[in-house]
Amino acid sequence: MEGSLNMVGYGLAAIGPGVGIGLIFAAYISGVARQPEARSVLQGIAILGFALAEALAIIGIGLAFAL
Amino acid sequence: MNAWRTVAMSEEFHAPGPGDFDYPPLFGWFTKPMLIVVLGTLVVGAFFYFASRRASIVPGKLQFAAEGFYGFVRNQIAADAIGREGIKYVPYLATLLAFLVALNISGIIPPLQFPATSKIAIPLFLAVISWVIYNYVGIRRQGFGGYFTNMMFPSGVPPLIYPLLAPIEFLSTVVFRPVTLTLRLTFNMFAGHLVLLLCILGGEFLLLHVRGLVGFSAGAVAILFGIVMTFFEGFIQLLQAYVFVLLSAIYIGGALTHDH
């Protein structure tokens, strides 16, 4: 077995965005469950929040390969 | 370790890595990602050309598809993120979305099977175009000083926060937005392609080069998982094209309004 410690570090770093994305979609699902007619409004906001939280994980994988 | 060696016979599995993204030139300096970019441009151009060539009031199949696509960008992206003024930017956003969808989805189309947007140059160039557009639009609307003042000193914030907020807002708008647009798309495609390579190459190795029931069953599971991941990757590729365009529209909308 060989590999880079960077990948272990990336695994740890991905915990944060993972929790964040989970919270965003949990809020989106409960929002739609309470008010199904608000779905179209909530969808764009949820995807925007998902994209912003995901950026952290993506920067992490970029640095894991680059450093 | 030794047990694994005997199971795996003499050959060793080489895990896919960033090196698998460097293609040798097909001829001269022309590589496979370049071919995909050219093909994607031709497909998108041909689609819209033939869809709008004989436009009629009762649309045909192709015209209906193009109108549905254009209407989606206009109503779901531009109208939501920018507002009434968004109509002006729909041509750019629709072109961007069509181009990104073509380049992303090439990652799961059999003869190509490489997402051209996992090469950082392509998302970087598109992000720079979006960056130029939203800064130009903001400066034209609010004036050079007004644009940066409204960006760095938003109203409704206690003045004591400004020393902390102003540099963050400035860096976020001028530096981090294009950088995150680029990196998000590039590394989503990069990581997705790497997962597919790992599933398929690892499954092939287990099926064909490892003796015994363990290798065969593990290889079959890996190949099946690779097929499932291919469809999931297709979904991610469409979603990331949408996210790129949605964020571009939101940045344009933010530059047009005074307080966000």
Side-chain angles (χ1 to χ4, degrees):
Chain A
M1 284 285 282
E2 52 183 69
S4 164
L5 207 55
N6 284 357
M7 291 304 152
V8 180
Y10 173 61
L12 292 175
I15 294 173
V19 171
I21 291 170
L23 286 175
I24 288 163
F25 280 105
Y28 170 61
I29 291 168
S30 63
V32 172
R34 285 181 193 193
Q35 229 172 335
E37 69 271 16
R39 184 187 190 124
S40 60
V41 180
L42 293 179
Q43 198 160 28
I45 302 171
I47 299 241
L48 174 67
F50 157 74
L52 294 179
E54 191 204 19
L56 298 173
I58 292 304
I59 291 168
I61 199 173
L63 292 179
F65 277 108
L67 293 181
Chain B
M1 199 69 194
N2 280 328
W4 173 250
R5 279 277 157 71
T6 49
V7 169
M9 306 306 285
S10 57
E11 293 173 75
E12 201 165 345
F13 177 62
H14 293 286
D20 288 298
F21 288 76
D22 297 328
Y23 282 93
L26 296 173
F27 56 86
W29 41 263
F30 196 77
T31 58
K32 189 176 166 188
M34 293 185 193
L35 176 72
I36 294 171
V37 172
V38 172
L39 275 180
T41 313
L42 288 179
V43 165
V44 169
F47 173 67
F48 282 113
Y49 174 73
F50 287 112
S52 62
R53 194 173 50 160
R54 277 193 295 272
S56 56
I57 294 177
V58 181
K61 279 179 195 157
L62 203 60
Q63 193 190 342
F64 181 75
E67 280 180 1
F69 179 82
Y70 200 81
F72 168 76
V73 176
R74 196 179 68 173
N75 300 331
Q76 305 291 316
I77 297 178
D80 276 4
I82 307 180
R84 291 175 59 85
E85 290 176 289
I87 302 295
K88 256 193 340 191
Y89 304 97
V90 176
Y92 169 64
L93 297 174
T95 315
L96 188 63
L97 183 60
F99 188 57
L100 281 174
V101 164
L103 292 194
N104 285 355
I105 212 74
S106 66
I108 61 165
I109 291 180
L112 306 169
Q113 288 191 317
F114 180 78
T117 35
S118 64
K119 288 284 180 191
I120 199 164
I122 298 158
L124 179 64
F125 187 69
L126 296 173
V128 165
I129 296 177
S130 283
W131 182 82
V132 167
I133 288 180
Y134 75 73
N135 279 318
Y136 174 76
V137 158
I139 289 172
R140 221 175 89 151
R141 171 61 55 90
Q142 307 173 27
F144 190 82
Y147 176 57
F148 284 99
T149 312
N150 286 329
M151 178 212 304
M152 291 164 70
F153 304 101
S155 54
V157 178
L160 278 176
I161 306 289
Y162 280 144
L164 200 63
L165 190 67
I168 293 178
E169 281 288 327
F170 180 79
L171 275 179
S172 152
T173 311
V174 177
V175 181
F176 292 138
R177 276 181 182 182
V179 169
T180 51
L181 268 182
T182 310
L183 291 183
R184 179 180 301 113
L185 185 58
T186 310
F187 283 107
N188 261 298
M189 296 303 109
F190 178 85
H193 190 60
L194 211 54
V195 168
L196 289 188
L197 281 180
L198 187 65
C199 290
I200 305 294
L201 292 180
E204 184 263 354
F205 182 83
L206 286 170
L207 270 181
L208 300 182
H209 301 286
V210 178
R211 302 266 168 80
L213 193 65
V214 177
F216 183 80
S217 45
V221 169
I223 293 278
L224 280 178
F225 189 69
I227 295 172
V228 173
M229 283 307 288
T230 303
F231 285 104
F232 180 67
E233 200 48 44
F235 167 70
I236 294 286
Q237 284 158 350
L238 294 179
L239 183 74
Q240 286 303 322
Y242 170 71
V243 164
F244 193 100
V245 176
L246 180 73
L247 285 174
S248 295
I250 287 173
Y251 296 157
I252 292 173
L256 282 173
T257 49
H258 283 259
D259 25 49
H260 28 246

